[in-house]
Amino acid sequence: MAKVSRRKFIVRSLIGGAGVLVGATYLARNPLRRQLYDLLDDPSMLAYSGDTSQPFMWFEVTKANQVILHSPKVEMGQGTFTSMVQIACDELELDISQMQIVHATSATGNIDGLSTGGSTSVAGLWQPLRELSATLREMLKAEGAKKLSVAVDQVRASAGTIIGPMGSLSYGEVVEGVTEWEVPDAPPLKDLKDYKYIGKPVSRVDLVDKVMGTPMFGMDAQMPDMLYGSVVRPSKIGAKFKGADVSKAAGRPGVVKVVQEDDFVGVVATSMTEAENAKKAILAEWETDREWNTKDIEDMLLVGKGKAMVIQKEGDAEGELADENTSSVLRSEYKSPIGAHAQIEPNGAVAYVEADKATVMISTQVVGITRSEVAKRLGLEDAQVNIIPTYLGGGFGRRLHTPNAIQAAVLSKAVGKPVKCFFSRQEEFQNDTFRPPTHHVMKGKLDENGKIVAIEHQFSSGDVMFGSALLPPVVGTILGADGGAIRGGSFHYRNIPSFRAVSWRVQLPFSTSWWRSLGLLANTFAIESFMDELAELAGKDPIVFRLDHISDDVAGNRLKQVIKTASTKSGYQNTAVNNRAMGFACSTDAGTPCAHVAEVSLTDGTIRVHKVTCVMDPGFAVNPDQVKAQCEGSIIMGISASLFERMYVEKSELKPIIYGPYRMALMRDAPREIDVEIINGTGVPGAVGEPPLGPIAAAIANAAYRITGKRVRELPMSVV
Amino acid sequence: MKLSLNINNRPGTVDVDGDMPLLWVIRDVLDLKGTKFGCGKAACGACTILVDGDAVRSCSYPAKMAEGKQITTIEGLGTSESPHPVQQAWIEEIVPQCGYCQPGFMMATAALLNKHPNPSDDDIDQNIVNVCRCGTYYRMRKAIKKAAQIQAGSTIQS
C-alpha cells in the first residue's frame, strides 16, 4: 500500500483552555472516480475518502490526559469504533482507558466524503489512522522532551506519558500551553507482533453504555425547548404529493403548526403522541399513474427485459452454451424477493434551524451528503449546517438516504424551534429503500470428466448503486453496470475455460437501493446452488468439485484455504442422516473469501438451521471477537432473508407494514451453534461486515436438497 | 390527567393524557431514554419494561394502567457499578452490536428469569420473542443462560 504523500497537523486551543485540538490533513491518493472503480474491484483497497482540502480535527488531548478520537466513520453496530480505538491506542502509546471516541460533527470537517458502508471502514482507515496516531506520538515526544529539557532520543512514550531520564509528563501536561508544533516526517509504524491491542479480542468500547441503556441514538437526541413533528408519507408506489386538507388537524390538542410544503405536509405539536394523532386528521391528496401488483414487478424483472451489461467474460461461454436444448447444457432459474431493511430504530432527526445556521442530530451513514441536502433545501452554505451524528440503531444501508433530515429541518424552520421528527413503523415498511428483487438464469456444461467447460450467470435486479446520492450521475454512465447489484454476481471459479456474467438493469417503480451486502446474497444463492447442481450432475463431492475449478493465484489460494478449513472444521458429510443434512457454499466479496457449512433439518416442511460453520479470511482481523460477531450477525440476518422475509405489492401498496407479518428470524430460528474461524491471510485488514452474508442462502438450500431431493430455487425458501 | 406512577422505585406524579402510551411518558416526560421505540404496535419488543415483574411492551400500554403498579425500566435494572445479573451476563458475552433493541431484550430476559430461574432452550425460545436486526441471538442465548447462573449464585450468597 502506498505511503501517505503529505500531511499537516494544526493545533488550536480548546475553548476554556482545557487542552488542544489536533487536526491533520490526510491526502487521499485517488480521485472519486478511481475510488469507485476500486470499490467495484476490491473495496478493501478503497482509500479513505475524507475531505482533503483542509486540515481537520482527529484528536483532542485533554488536560485530564484523555485523548478523544473524532471519528469520520459512524458506529452502527459493526464495531468500527472499537477497532479504531485499538489502532490509535497502539500507535499513540495509550492505555485503552485513556481514549474516548466520538462521532466527528460535520463542523469539524473530519467526515467521510462518501459514507460509512461497503465494509470498508477499518480497511480504509488502517494505514491513515496508524500514521496519524504515530505522528501525534512523535510530536508529543518532541514537545515533551523540550519541556523536560532533554534530547528527543532521551524520551519514550508509554501509557499516555512521555518518560525522560529524570522525570515524566502526561500527554495532557505536554500539550498545555503549546501553540506551535513541530511536525515530523512519517514515522515508522510498529510491527504487527508488537501491537498490544491490534489483533486482540478487545471488548467493545460502547458495550457498557449499550447495556445500561445510555441515551446515544438518534431517537434519543434532544435539544432544549424541543417540539415534535410528524410528516405524512405515502402508502402507495409512485404517489406524488398534490396537496392536503389540513383543516381538521390544526385545532387538535397540542398542535403548534401544520406545515405545508410543495412536496410534503407535516405537523408540529408539543408531544410525539399529539403530533401522530394530529397527522391522522390531515387529508393528503396523492396522484398515482397506475396500479402495481407483485406480478407486474416480477414480469418487469425477468432476465432479458432490462438493459444488459457484460460484467465478466473469459473464453466463449456464449458459444458453448448457445444450444440450450442439448442434454449437456444444464439451465436453472433462481429468484429472490423484495427485502426490507427493518432496522429497529426508525429514521428521523432532531433539527434546529436558526436565521443563519442549522443543527441536525441524526443517525446517518452519509454525514456529508446529509449536510449538503439540508443546506440546499434551506438555502444555506454547507458550512452553515452542522450535522451531529449519533449512534445508529442499525444501518444496513438504510441510512444512506436521509430525506428525513430535510423534513425535520423544514418543520423546525417553520416554528423557529428544535423539532424531533421520526418515521412510524408502517412508514418505514412502505417508504424503505428496499433490497431489490432479482431473477437469475444459470447455464453450465460439463465435459466427459465432469469438469465445467462453460458457465454463465445472467441476472436481473432493481437498482442498488444507480439512483443513489452516493453516485454522481456521470459515474453511472462511465460504469455502465450497477456496482451494487453486481456484487457477488461474477465467478471466482477461474479454472473454468469459459465463463460469463451479465447484469440486467431494471428500474422499478419504487425505491430500491443498498441493503447489507447488496447483490451478494441473491447472486451467491444462484451461483452456489447451481454449483451443487453441476456437482451432482458430474457425480462429484460438492467441495472437491469446487476446489477443482479454483485457480492457483493468490485469491484462489485464499479461497481454497477457506473452503478446506470449513470442510474439515464442520466434518462435512455429503449425505442426509435422520432427516438432517449439511450444505456447503462459498463466496468472495470485496476481496474477502468466506465459506459456510449449514446443518439443517426438515420437520413438517419447516427448515431449521441447527449449526453453521463459518470460515472467513478478511486479510487481518483487528478485533477477532468483533469479526466473529459480524459473521454471527450476518449468518442470522441471512437466515432471516433466506427463510422468511418477503415484501409484496398489492394494489400499489408495499406490504407487510409491521414486524410479525414481515416475518424475520427470532431467537427460536437462530442456530444453536455458530462456529466461526478467522484466517489472517494477508496481514492487512479487508472487508468484514458483509462478506459472511454471501453463502448462507445457498448453504441452506444445498443442505435442504440432500434431505428432500427437491431443489429450492426461490427465496424465501419453501419446501412444502 | 394526573397519574401517580412508581417507576424504578421512585414514586411521583405526571400530568398527561391517560391514554398516552406509557413508553412516551417514560421517554419524553420522565426523560428515561433507555426504553426504545421500535414499532408502536407491540410487535418488536424494543420498548419492553417490567410491570410488577412481568414483561410488557410499553408502546401499547396506556399510561393510566400503570397506576398502582411497580414499573421497572432498563435504568432501574442495574448500574454500571452494580449491574443486574442480566446486564453482567450481557457484558461478559459482549452481546450488543448496534444495541438499539438490547434494553428490550434484557428486560424480557429479566422477566423470564423471574418465572424460570433456570430456563431451558425451549423456555428461551417461547419467551424471548423480540426482534434483533443485527442478529445477536446466538450470543444472547449464551448470555441468558449465564445470567441465570449469575442470578442463582448471587441468590445463594445472599
Side-chain angles (χ1 to χ4, degrees):
Chain A
M1 190 175 274
K3 292 286 280 185
V4 184
S5 52
R6 183 149 44 98
R7 83 183 64 66
K8 184 169 73 177
F9 274 79
I10 58 147
V11 176
R12 280 184 283 152
S13 291
L14 238 167
I15 300 158
V20 293
L21 307 176
V22 184
T25 54
Y26 186 89
L27 208 67
R29 299 185 301 279
N30 302 321
L32 178 66
R33 208 176 81 194
R34 172 70 202 282
Q35 283 171 14
L36 283 162
Y37 273 111
D38 284 351
L39 183 74
L40 294 179
D41 186 38
D42 180 2
S44 67
M45 294 302 290
L46 183 70
Y48 172 69
S49 57
D51 179 2
T52 58
S53 61
Q54 55 191 327
F56 41 76
M57 181 169 72
W58 281 86
F59 300 108
E60 187 179 337
V61 185
T62 73
K63 211 169 178 174
N65 206 27
Q66 286 277 309
V67 177
I68 301 168
L69 171 55
H70 291 257
S71 170
K73 294 286 183 179
V74 298
E75 177 57 62
M76 48 193 175
Q78 82 279 39
T80 291
F81 269 20
T82 306
S83 294
M84 287 178 70
V85 167
Q86 291 174 259
I87 291 168
C89 280
D90 261 330
E91 283 295 345
L92 251 171
E93 294 296 352
L94 282 172
D95 189 85
I96 211 149
S97 65
Q98 294 173 311
M99 177 164 279
Q100 296 165 39
I101 183 165
V102 297
H103 290 103
T105 65
S106 70
T108 66
N110 194 13
I111 55 174
D112 193 291
L114 286 174
S115 72
T116 302
S119 302
T120 56
S121 293
V122 174
L125 285 170
W126 171 242
Q127 191 75 4
L129 186 54
R130 283 187 305 154
E131 293 191 6
L132 289 167
S133 303
T135 304
L136 179 57
R137 179 197 68 221
E138 292 306 309
M139 289 161 62
L140 289 163
K141 277 166 70 178
E143 195 58 40
K146 211 186 283 176
K147 283 193 171 176
L148 290 167
S149 304
V150 294
V152 69
D153 60 4
Q154 299 264 291
V155 300
R156 64 191 174 87
S158 175
T161 311
I162 301 299
I163 302 164
M166 303 292 285
S168 62
L169 292 169
S170 75
Y171 290 180
E173 289 167 326
V174 172
V175 300
E176 224 183 322
V178 182
T179 52
E180 278 187 23
W181 290 83
E182 219 169 288
V183 182
D185 289 337
L189 299 175
K190 292 184 190 174
D191 276 349
L192 275 186
K193 64 174 168 42
D194 295 327
Y195 286 130
K196 192 170 145 195
Y197 299 116
I198 291 171
K200 308 292 192 307
V202 171
S203 189
R204 289 184 70 106
V205 295
D206 52 7
L207 178 62
V208 173
D209 280 343
K210 285 181 173 176
V211 170
M212 294 302 146
T214 307
M216 61 204 301
F217 299 100
M219 182 48 105
D220 303 335
Q222 46 193 349
M223 294 186 194
D225 211 14
M226 183 177 81
L227 296 171
Y228 297 84
S230 191
V231 166
V232 182
R233 296 189 174 86
S235 64
K236 290 190 172 170
I237 290 173
K240 287 188 186 67
F241 180 69
K242 299 308 288 179
D245 174 0
V246 301
S247 57
K248 291 195 175 64
R252 301 277 303 179
V255 169
V256 175
K257 192 170 188 178
V258 179
V259 182
Q260 287 219 60
E261 294 281 309
D262 287 344
D263 55 346
F264 75 91
V265 58
V267 57
V268 180
T270 53
S271 77
M272 191 84 91
T273 313
E274 288 163 338
E276 289 297 324
N277 286 340
K279 179 167 76 172
K280 287 176 193 148
I282 296 175
L283 301 169
E285 201 189 318
W286 305 95
E287 187 181 272
T288 52
D289 53 357
R290 57 157 288 183
E291 185 177 288
W292 293 96
N293 288 290
T294 299
K295 179 81 170 56
D296 304 315
I297 306 299
E298 288 177 347
D299 288 347
M300 287 176 80
L301 198 70
L302 294 172
V303 164
K305 292 277 181 72
K307 200 176 156 204
M309 177 86 184
V310 177
I311 60 162
Q312 193 187 31
K313 189 175 184 302
E314 183 72 43
D316 180 25
E318 219 176 349
E320 294 273 9
L321 300 166
D323 189 0
E324 286 181 20
N325 296 320
T326 64
S327 58
S328 62
V329 175
L330 184 67
R331 183 184 188 281
S332 293
E333 294 186 30
Y334 295 84
K335 282 166 72 177
S336 77
I338 306 164
H341 284 90
Q343 83 295 339
I344 313 291
E345 183 198 16
N347 282 286
V350 179
Y352 185 28
V353 179
E354 297 165 84
D356 55 356
K357 65 173 183 173
T359 310
V360 182
M361 300 173 79
I362 183 173
S363 295
T364 174
Q365 292 176 250
V366 283
V367 180
I369 291 171
T370 302
R371 175 180 62 178
S372 301
E373 288 179 352
V374 169
K376 192 177 168 201
R377 178 66 176 246
L378 297 175
L380 297 173
E381 297 295 321
D382 278 6
Q384 292 172 290
V385 176
N386 188 21
I387 304 296
I388 303 174
T390 58
Y391 282 81
L392 281 63
F396 315 112
R398 178 64 184 93
R399 301 185 209 275
L400 294 162
H401 301 264
T402 58
N404 37 302
I406 295 172
Q407 291 160 349
V410 167
L411 294 184
S412 169
K413 190 177 178 181
V415 295
K417 286 187 174 178
V419 171
K420 179 176 201 164
C421 179
F422 273 75
F423 278 58
S424 73
R425 184 51 56 182
Q426 175 174 344
E427 289 163 356
E428 279 289 337
F429 274 109
Q430 296 192 313
N431 295 268
D432 197 353
T433 51
F434 298 92
R435 187 185 74 227
T438 60
H439 175 237
H440 312 252
V441 178
M442 301 289 321
K443 285 196 276 183
K445 191 162 110 179
L446 302 173
D447 67 14
E448 62 276 14
N449 299 317
K451 288 201 62 164
I452 304 172
V453 178
I455 194 165
E456 184 183 74
H457 177 212
Q458 299 216 31
F459 57 102
S460 176
S461 168
D463 288 345
V464 174
M465 183 190 263
F466 288 153
S468 164
L470 278 172
L471 185 79
V474 60
V475 183
T477 314
I478 295 164
L479 294 179
D482 186 309
I486 67 172
R487 282 275 278 264
S490 303
F491 294 98
H492 57 193
Y493 299 107
R494 292 170 193 267
N495 249 4
I496 300 172
S498 295
F499 49 87
R500 180 171 178 257
V502 183
S503 163
W504 293 82
R505 179 193 184 190
V506 176
Q507 284 175 279
L508 297 173
F510 54 92
S511 181
T512 59
S513 193
W514 318 90
W515 188 97
R516 189 180 190 177
S517 93
L518 321 179
L520 178 69
L521 179 74
N523 287 327
T524 308
F525 170 58
I527 291 176
E528 286 293 290
S529 295
F530 193 67
M531 285 300 285
D532 257 37
E533 292 197 60
L534 286 172
E536 189 187 24
L537 196 65
K540 299 264 180 75
D541 173 88
I543 291 182
V544 174
F545 183 71
R546 282 175 173 81
L547 291 170
D548 280 348
H549 292 102
I550 299 168
S551 54
D552 276 324
D553 51 20
V554 174
N557 286 328
R558 283 176 71 200
L559 176 61
K560 282 197 242 186
Q561 180 67 27
V562 161
I563 292 174
K564 287 175 186 167
T565 310
S567 173
T568 312
K569 196 176 174 65
S570 65
Y572 179 80
Q573 297 289 328
N574 196 8
T575 48
V577 181
N578 295 332
N579 217 24
R580 215 166 149 134
M582 291 180 175
F584 178 88
C586 60
S587 60
T588 304
D589 181 48
T592 295
C594 180
H596 290 340
V597 177
E599 203 173 328
V600 315
S601 70
L602 190 69
T603 313
D604 302 330
T606 302
I607 296 172
R608 197 185 157 89
V609 184
H610 297 273
K611 179 182 177 182
V612 176
T613 304
C614 163
V615 180
M616 186 168 89
D617 175 5
F620 178 74
V622 172
N623 188 322
D625 177 69
Q626 284 305 300
V627 173
K628 282 184 181 177
Q630 286 302 295
C631 290
E632 293 159 10
S634 288
I635 286 164
I636 290 169
M637 191 171 179
I639 287 171
S640 191
S642 304
L643 298 184
F644 308 118
E645 294 178 34
R646 183 175 85 97
M647 295 295 295
Y648 60 93
V649 183
E650 188 179 77
K651 292 184 178 163
S652 291
E653 292 201 341
L654 277 147
K655 293 179 175 174
I657 57 168
I658 187 71
Y659 298 109
Y662 188 74
R663 172 85 160 91
M664 290 162 68
L666 300 178
M667 179 68 85
R668 65 173 183 264
D669 306 304
R672 297 275 171 88
E673 266 187 278
I674 300 179
D675 192 6
V676 181
E677 182 162 331
I678 303 300
I679 295 173
N680 288 331
T682 66
V684 178
V688 167
E690 295 169 294
L693 249 165
I696 190 66
I700 296 169
N702 291 339
Y705 177 78
R706 301 257 169 273
I707 303 171
T708 63
K710 276 191 278 183
R711 176 57 59 181
V712 182
R713 296 196 180 89
E714 184 172 348
L715 301 182
M717 291 176 209
S718 169
V719 291
V720 180
Chain B
M1 63 192 284
K2 277 207 162 37
L3 298 177
S4 301
L5 299 178
N6 185 339
I7 296 188
N8 299 331
N9 286 322
R10 281 192 197 164
T13 57
V14 292
D15 191 4
V16 296
D17 178 347
D19 290 326
M20 184 187 272
L22 184 57
L23 169 67
W24 298 115
V25 177
I26 290 169
R27 283 184 59 85
D28 289 343
V29 180
L30 301 172
D31 198 23
L32 297 169
K33 297 282 196 261
T35 308
K36 303 303 182 195
F37 170 79
C39 70
K41 304 280 184 192
C44 74
C47 63
T48 305
I49 57 169
L50 300 185
V51 177
D52 289 339
D54 289 330
V56 162
R57 294 184 169 179
S58 63
C59 73
S60 304
Y61 191 85
K64 63 188 176 198
M65 283 178 64
E67 279 201 303
K69 291 171 181 156
Q70 292 275 347
I71 308 296
T72 310
T73 70
I74 188 75
E75 291 88 350
L77 201 62
T79 61
S80 52
E81 294 75 30
S82 176
H84 184 276
V86 172
Q87 291 170 309
Q88 182 64 40
W90 245 247
I91 289 169
E92 288 178 19
E93 293 295 336
I94 318 180
V95 175
Q97 289 186 23
C98 91
Y100 192 81
C101 71
Q102 300 287 329
F105 272 99
M106 285 183 276
M107 300 312 287
T109 301
L112 169 67
L113 297 184
N114 286 342
K115 278 194 294 183
H116 302 280
N118 186 22
S120 66
D121 279 320
D122 281 350
D123 293 333
I124 293 170
D125 287 346
Q126 282 163 27
N127 287 278
I128 306 300
V129 289
N130 294 5
V131 181
C132 169
R133 190 41 148 174
C134 298
T136 64
Y137 300 118
Y138 172 65
R139 289 187 184 201
M140 232 184 258
R141 183 184 298 277
K142 291 202 276 185
I144 293 167
K145 290 177 178 175
K146 184 169 269 183
Q149 284 172 9
I150 296 170
Q151 189 153 298
S154 60
T155 310
I156 291 160
Q157 279 163 22
S158 62

